[in-house]
Amino acid sequence: MMLLDKIKDYMDRNQETASALFKGFMEFDRPFLLCSDLADELKKYVDESGDQSLPASPLGEMILKAQEATVEAPWLYFAVRPRVARWLYVRIHIERMEAEEIDAAEFLSFKEKFVTGSAYEMDWALEIDLGPFERGFPKMKETRSIGRGVEFLNRHLSSRLFDDAGAGARRLLDFLHVHKYKGMQLMLNNRIQTIDELIGALQEADEYLAAQRQDTGWEELASEMQALGFEPGWGNTARRVRGKMSLLSDILEAPDHNRLELFLAGVPMIFKIAIISPHGYFGQANVLGLPDTGGQVVYILDQVRALEKEMRQRLHDEGLNISPQIVVVTRLIPEAGETTCDQRLEPIIGTENARILRVPFYTEDGEVLPHWISRFKIWPYLERFAVTVEREILAELGGRPDLLVGNYSDGNLVACLLSRRLEVTQCNIAHALEKTKYLYSALYWKENESRYHFSCQFTADLIAMNTADFIITSTYQEIAGSPDSVGQYESYDAFTMPGLYRVINGIDIYDPKFNIVSPGADDQVYFPYTETEKRLVSLHDEIKEIVYGKNYRPNSRGVIADPDKPLLFTMARLDRIKNITGLVQWYGGCQQLRDRANLLVVAGNTDSGLSNDQEEIEQIHYMHELFERYQLDSQVRWIGGRLEKNLAGELYRFIADQQGVFVQPAVFEAFGLTIIEAMATGLPTFATRYGGPLEIIEDGVSGFHIDPNHGAQSAQKIADFLESCREDPNHWLEISLAAVRRVESRYTWKRYAERLITLSCIYGFWKYVTNLERQETKRYLEMLYSLEFRIRAREVGRN
């Protein structure tokens, strides 16, 4: 029996119970109820009635699995999530005790009227439905497969491709012919024109290579190999060449998706990469802590270093003397302050041939926009930025890039525009999707529009998600959430922006474009505190001054009076989502925690006059209020600005020396690089249970989860840990060692770079030999871009 049928049957047999419970929902003085409201009301009824069987009943199951409800007597509308990314919309008439299933559009329409107040407007709402364009496209079915798109794609398409009466092998042959670099033919030359000729050449090559020394270089092999039809790209030694040709022979003989992935990963396809990150101050010094500038910059710079190293190694192994190129494309800001963001080109430290390429924003009048603007207000400039960037990267790279990587909503949209024009494989990385950060952000978009311009952002997200060839996420949570919470990407499946449009099929997280590739921490900077020979002891005097300094330090507040206590440490942007003020409030209100530890905060600025970001200014004022309310100046040290990487790495270790802990209290965190950094140094970490940290940390094993919505409980959890460590110092050590092991096993930049380049090769192959470009979907999205996004972007420019 389906869940809805079970609910109906239960309501028929238990009308008094159902009626009392539903009336409790009706008594809320608001139309929209959160899942926590529903669960609390259910618990209240159980406690008052003594009916302990209700939560396990079909009705209780529905309520506990409902993510939200909309209430207007006599109707209750529920959005029920029986399992990840599977939704059931139910409406109940509480007087007639009738329940029926409705579709997403009707559920969203019911919500809209509480915002617009107009039934007529709801009847004529624009509905965005990408579902029909995806019919027949291969999709996964199991929740455990979400985020493993390339594995599914290889299994599904390889069998179909090679079953196609020889057409698949022919497409593979054509694919091997297209590879060139600056006019130099790679892989195959014109001597091989048919599959039979390829098979014969591979057999002759195998006999020839078997007779050579295995370390013979390609230069010595080239003459004979080219006569057989093979060009550079197979490997730098006879062993590598023979191994790759053996893989290809096996694929042609008996197609296998694992062998196909291994083979494609070794095909020289990625020589030039353009990484797009328009907003904020993108630079290598004096930028962290400036508005809209933080973890994304660190992520990209570490990503570039790892990617260049991986590309260089692969090209060497493939027998090619080619220097890879990476450009990070960002915005040029003439009024750049003490940063280098007014320079067109800046070499990236730690690389041989990667650089930052800065391109200005232009106003409608063609003038260069001189000053920084918020990431929420840059939408009017992106289209012209994309056109200018196209010209600049073609000149800088000497031709088209082989891969475009977009970052955040703005970078993903620009990558989408560039990919369309250049016909280049597009990868998206969200870093964070704002939609899940703000409660009812889509529903009340008009109220948020003057500050956040969500109409542009969410439209840009929809377009970029659905045009990307593949999407990289740091965790499973980012895509699909958990059994109890909706994933960031999943939240784009069905939602409404009343008066603008209603989305009923926005993104399908069972799409094989999603892949989990977790970043890491720079192991040259963030290494365990126990590796004493690598420690930066020369920085200890500066660190002591930062932590305990009694001398006046600009942009700081508080002096720790008792330096013998361990430290709680937190470091992030000073905004509402990062919840740094929340942590300070928890600490101030928990006497046991104050007795056990001091608190070190590195965040934002201590002087609101140093900030031009309204949200940060509000948080600065609130922080000072908390210092006064709880009299924290002798127990909390607040340092404004951001620390240079080496200094931050050694600070983590310095705090670990004293058996302190790191706390990341965010309301929501897409991934959490600071969590990885802290764990890599051996610092026990407490982090939000909402988002990536739920997956990074094994609660109670390699760290701890905390709930930012229950600050007193979170503070008590930290205090209890410190108390247990005081009684048994080995407890701190066990968590520390487990944290280091966790990072080393799963979160390294080397693993990240290997996977990203492999994905680029595989998706590039499938894009070439199949119809993965989804032209119908892209044409539909071009209409959405022209008729919705451009209009909204112009409105931002006028305000």
Side-chain angles (χ1 to χ4, degrees), residues 198-357:
L198 175 59
I199 292 172
L202 288 170
Q203 292 170 346
E204 290 187 55
D206 186 68
E207 294 174 5
Y208 168 71
L209 292 167
Q212 310 303 310
R213 296 191 325 275
Q214 292 303 288
D215 60 352
T216 303
W218 174 263
E219 295 80 7
E220 297 179 50
L221 305 171
S223 178
E224 184 66 28
M225 296 301 291
Q226 286 174 322
L228 291 173
F230 300 106
E231 294 293 335
W234 293 92
N236 61 345
T237 65
R239 180 186 295 107
R240 289 187 187 277
V241 175
R242 193 180 183 202
K244 191 177 295 185
M245 289 185 171
S246 177
L247 271 176
L248 180 55
S249 295
D250 290 343
I251 292 167
L252 294 172
E253 176 75 18
D256 174 83
H257 65 273
N258 290 317
R259 287 191 177 94
L260 182 63
E261 178 169 329
L262 282 173
F263 177 75
L264 292 174
V267 176
M269 297 169 58
I270 310 297
F271 310 103
K272 296 176 284 190
I273 298 177
I275 297 172
I276 317 296
S277 180
H279 75 259
Y281 292 86
F282 198 104
Q284 300 177 86
N286 303 321
V287 298
L288 295 182
L290 294 176
D292 288 344
T293 309
Q296 184 172 316
V297 173
V298 176
Y299 179 111
I300 293 173
L301 290 173
D302 285 344
Q303 174 198 55
V304 167
R305 295 183 185 102
L307 286 175
E308 189 197 59
K309 187 175 182 180
E310 176 67 17
M311 291 166 70
R312 194 174 297 281
Q313 184 62 56
R314 288 196 184 206
L315 291 171
H316 173 268
D317 292 346
E318 289 157 2
L320 300 172
N321 185 22
I322 295 172
S323 181
Q325 296 189 75
I326 302 176
V327 293
V328 178
V329 184
T330 188
R331 184 194 159 203
L332 187 145
I333 307 173
E335 296 175 3
E338 297 180 359
T339 76
T340 57
C341 295
D342 57 348
Q343 297 178 13
R344 178 181 178 273
L345 277 178
E346 180 182 348
I348 294 178
I349 298 167
T351 70
E352 295 183 37
N353 200 24
R355 59 269 196 204
I356 301 168
L357 171 64

Side-chain angles (χ1 to χ4, degrees), residues 112 120-128 496 498-502:
E112 289 163 10
Y120 175 82
E121 187 173 346
M122 292 184 297
D123 288 341
W124 294 97
L126 168 64
E127 286 191 351
I128 296 174
T496 181
L500 189 63
Y501 55 71
R502 178 188 304 149

